[in-house]
Amino acid sequence: MVVLYSPYLTQRVKYSAQLVFETLLGCQLVFTENAENLPEGAHLKINYSKQELEGFFHIKPAGLLFENSVVEQQVKQGEWNSLLTLFPSEGDIPFDLLSAVFFLVSRYEEYLPHKRDIHDRFIPKNSIAYKNGFLQRPLVNEWVETLRNKLADDFPELATKKSKYTFTSTIDVDNAYAYLEKGLVRTTGAYLRELFSLNFSDLKARTLTLFGRRKDVYDVFDYFIEMQLKHNVETIFFFLLGDYGLNDKNVPISSTRFQSLIKGVNDYCRVGIHPSYASYNDEAALRKEIRRLQQTTHRPVTLSRNHYLRLSFPRSYRQLIDLDIQEDYTMGYANEIGFRASICTPFFFYDLDLEQVTQLKVFPFSIMESTIKYDYGKSPAEALEAVKPIVDRVRQVNGHLISLWHNHSLSEQDEWEGWSKFYEELMEYAKS
């Protein structure tokens, strides 16, 4: 058992300590504000205060967890066992681990004034992780594993429990079909564009598909399920069910073929909602999209990932909580691979404005195929080498590796030729 003493047991202190000692170290944790009267049976006594106490393991606080507002922080850097640290302080470890974990996992910097990109997203190059070169490291997990080793040496009677490395493949279905179920207006318009541009290849493919002579190139769902069964990999699908718009060019849910597809996928995999671009600021629209998925699957909708990975703190997550979403998979960047919250373990969202822990569990992803292709300029033959360090680092800390794919990227058409091979290579390497 671990007993943590602090003169101020704020919600921030409790949240960060529970993440470190309970979730990541697997210890039983008890809090106290009285250093003189401790519960019996403590194998480790943590002193989270500025004063030194004999017989306690000292983590000297920097002050962040005793505050109750969001203000600009002067985040200094240090080093511990060759790892970069934040909030350096003097103690049995050379930094305030709890403040550093809280700052990164709560996404504190995203509550502060900052520039957004054209899709109203936080820009990864402005993050402390990018600027200090640890965006591609699950630094929180690495800190905790280093702490585990130190505690094993200093307190051999303390038993910790390591989690098990896991891998999940997630698929965003922005557009279930390339040619099918688009309706008369959209199909006619596509034919006219292909005729005027003399694009006879697409014209032929569209015609053969519409007349049932060829399978739709985006219909690769059987392949995903085959890979799931072959490699024993959990696979989750997120379906876009918003109304048609400039950034939401999906198949209408009125399509019986589309409904059958969702039901068929749901027989093998968990299914979640992919909130549309348009519903980002519109809770009523999102409620309608969730209802559409519920009516199709006849099951509660509890999983979500936002289209375009649009995320604004705390509004986006509050919206999901209001609509009974339990798990969100948006925590990652569109233009960089790596760890947006510097952690590869699911965690509960902490609402900084309300200063409270919520029941929304956040599942960070670290690899997306379009980022590797468009932002890193990698070919399918080069892609695996680009992501191996990510996979290896998650495995080393027994974390949860999550990748993000789209059904159209396995179509083997035009620019996506060869990318299904990378998907199989990733499955094999991540599960090896």
Side-chain angles (χ1 to χ4, degrees):
M1 180 174 68
V2 176
V3 176
L4 185 143
Y5 159 72
S6 177
Y8 310 105
L9 284 177
T10 65
Q11 291 299 314
R12 294 184 181 189
V13 171
K14 291 180 178 179
Y15 173 79
S16 189
Q18 286 171 336
L19 180 56
V20 170
F21 291 102
E22 291 185 344
T23 302
L24 296 176
L25 286 178
C27 299
Q28 180 186 357
L29 177 64
V30 177
F31 295 102
T32 182
E33 291 180 318
N34 186 349
E36 304 296 328
N37 185 20
L38 301 179
E40 295 183 1
H43 298 102
L44 172 64
K45 297 180 291 184
I46 302 288
N47 170 23
Y48 192 66
S49 73
K50 292 187 179 295
Q51 66 181 111
E52 294 188 7
L53 298 173
E54 186 176 352
F56 283 72
F57 187 86
H58 194 192
I59 301 177
K60 191 173 182 179
L64 175 65
L65 303 192
F66 299 148
E67 299 173 356
N68 58 7
S69 59
V70 180
V71 296
E72 194 74 40
Q73 299 288 325
Q74 296 298 319
V75 184
K76 297 180 180 180
Q77 290 79 47
E79 186 176 311
W80 181 40
N81 282 26
S82 301
L83 291 174
L84 180 142
T85 61
L86 308 177
F87 298 96
S89 66
E90 298 175 355
D92 287 308
I93 56 175
F95 72 117
D96 181 356
L97 171 65
L98 299 186
S99 285
V101 168
F102 183 82
F103 182 83
L104 294 173
V105 172
S106 70
R107 303 308 303 131
Y108 194 102
E109 62 187 338
E110 296 196 44
Y111 285 79
L112 299 170
H114 58 269
K115 291 182 179 179
R116 313 280 287 182
D117 70 8
I118 59 172
H119 299 296
D120 194 35
R121 299 177 301 200
F122 183 79
I123 300 171
K125 287 183 169 58
N126 292 337
S127 69
I128 190 171
Y130 184 91
K131 291 176 180 178
N132 287 276
F134 63 87
L135 179 59
Q136 294 187 11
R137 304 190 72 95
L139 193 57
V140 168
N141 298 81
E142 293 176 346
W143 287 334
V144 174
E145 289 308 303
T146 305
L147 176 64
R148 187 195 304 275
N149 294 334
K150 179 174 177 56
L151 294 177
D153 292 337
D154 297 348
F155 303 91
E157 68 279 8
L158 176 69
T160 64
K161 183 179 180 181
K162 289 189 176 183
S163 57
K164 184 180 180 181
Y165 164 75
T166 52
F167 171 51
T168 300
S169 173
T170 63
I171 319 298
D172 285 354
V173 185
D174 301 343
N175 197 345
Y177 305 112
Y179 306 121
L180 297 173
E181 305 301 314
K182 298 303 176 69
L184 179 61
V185 174
R186 290 172 66 183
T187 300
T188 302
Y191 266 122
L192 292 174
R193 286 193 302 272
E194 288 157 1
L195 282 170
F196 284 125
S197 61
L198 303 180
N199 186 350
F200 298 115
S201 176
D202 278 359
L203 189 70
K204 179 181 178 181
R206 185 180 302 277
T207 302
L208 290 174
T209 303
L210 291 176
F211 281 91
R213 301 288 299 278
R214 178 184 294 183
K215 188 175 182 179
D216 193 287
V217 293
Y218 287 2
D219 186 358
V220 294
F221 301 97
D222 289 344
Y223 172 81
F224 277 122
I225 293 171
E226 177 187 334
M227 289 297 103
Q228 170 186 273
L229 298 175
K230 177 181 177 180
H231 297 285
N232 192 28
V233 172
E234 179 189 32
T235 305
I236 303 173
F237 288 82
F238 296 93
F239 285 95
L240 180 64
L241 302 181
D243 294 331
Y244 182 82
L246 180 63
N247 296 296
D248 299 313
K249 300 185 186 304
N250 51 304
V251 175
I253 192 58
S254 57
S255 162
T256 55
R257 186 195 297 266
F258 188 30
Q259 292 176 20
S260 296
L261 170 67
I262 296 172
K263 292 175 183 177
V265 169
N266 200 197
D267 288 338
Y268 293 91
C269 309
R270 290 203 294 163
V271 164
I273 192 67
H274 194 36
S276 67
Y277 196 97
S279 67
Y280 175 65
N281 285 314
D282 190 339
E283 186 170 317
L286 179 52
R287 187 183 302 276
K288 180 172 65 174
E289 294 169 18
I290 291 174
R291 186 168 60 249
R292 287 171 174 171
L293 185 55
Q294 287 175 332
Q295 291 172 343
T296 302
T297 62
H298 303 291
R299 297 176 184 177
V301 176
T302 59
L303 286 67
S304 176
R305 175 158 58 220
N306 289 354
H307 192 30
Y308 276 72
L309 302 176
R310 303 175 88 198
L311 192 58
S312 177
F313 289 95
R315 177 180 51 77
S316 296
Y317 279 164
R318 285 184 184 173
Q319 181 171 280
L320 296 180
I321 293 168
D322 288 343
L323 297 174
D324 298 321
I325 296 297
Q326 298 174 9
E327 299 178 8
D328 180 73
Y329 291 74
T330 313
M331 183 61 70
Y333 290 125
N335 307 117
E336 294 286 344
I337 62 173
F339 306 91
R340 183 170 179 168
S342 303
I343 189 171
C344 59
T345 301
F347 60 92
F348 288 103
F349 166 57
Y350 188 95
D351 190 322
L352 268 173
D353 282 354
L354 297 179
E355 292 293 353
Q356 67 180 25
V357 188
T358 72
Q359 292 303 304
L360 178 67
K361 201 166 194 178
V362 177
F363 288 73
F365 76 88
S366 52
I367 297 170
M368 181 165 72
E369 94 283 47
S370 58
T371 307
I372 300 164
K373 174 177 171 55
Y374 296 121
D375 296 282
Y376 285 49
K378 301 296 183 181
S379 69
E382 300 168 327
L384 185 62
E385 290 302 316
V387 302
K388 274 185 177 180
I390 298 287
V391 178
D392 293 343
R393 287 164 185 161
V394 175
R395 184 183 282 114
Q396 287 165 6
V397 297
N398 295 298
H400 187 171
L401 177 68
I402 300 177
S403 65
L404 193 169
W405 288 76
H406 299 79
N407 60 302
H408 65 259
S409 64
L410 268 67
S411 64
E412 288 294 325
Q413 296 295 303
D414 303 324
E415 60 180 339
W416 288 107
E417 186 177 352
W419 284 85
S420 60
K421 182 181 179 182
F422 168 52
Y423 185 76
E424 293 189 37
E425 289 175 340
L426 178 59
M427 295 296 104
E428 293 172 358
Y429 188 78
K431 290 294 291 184
S432 63

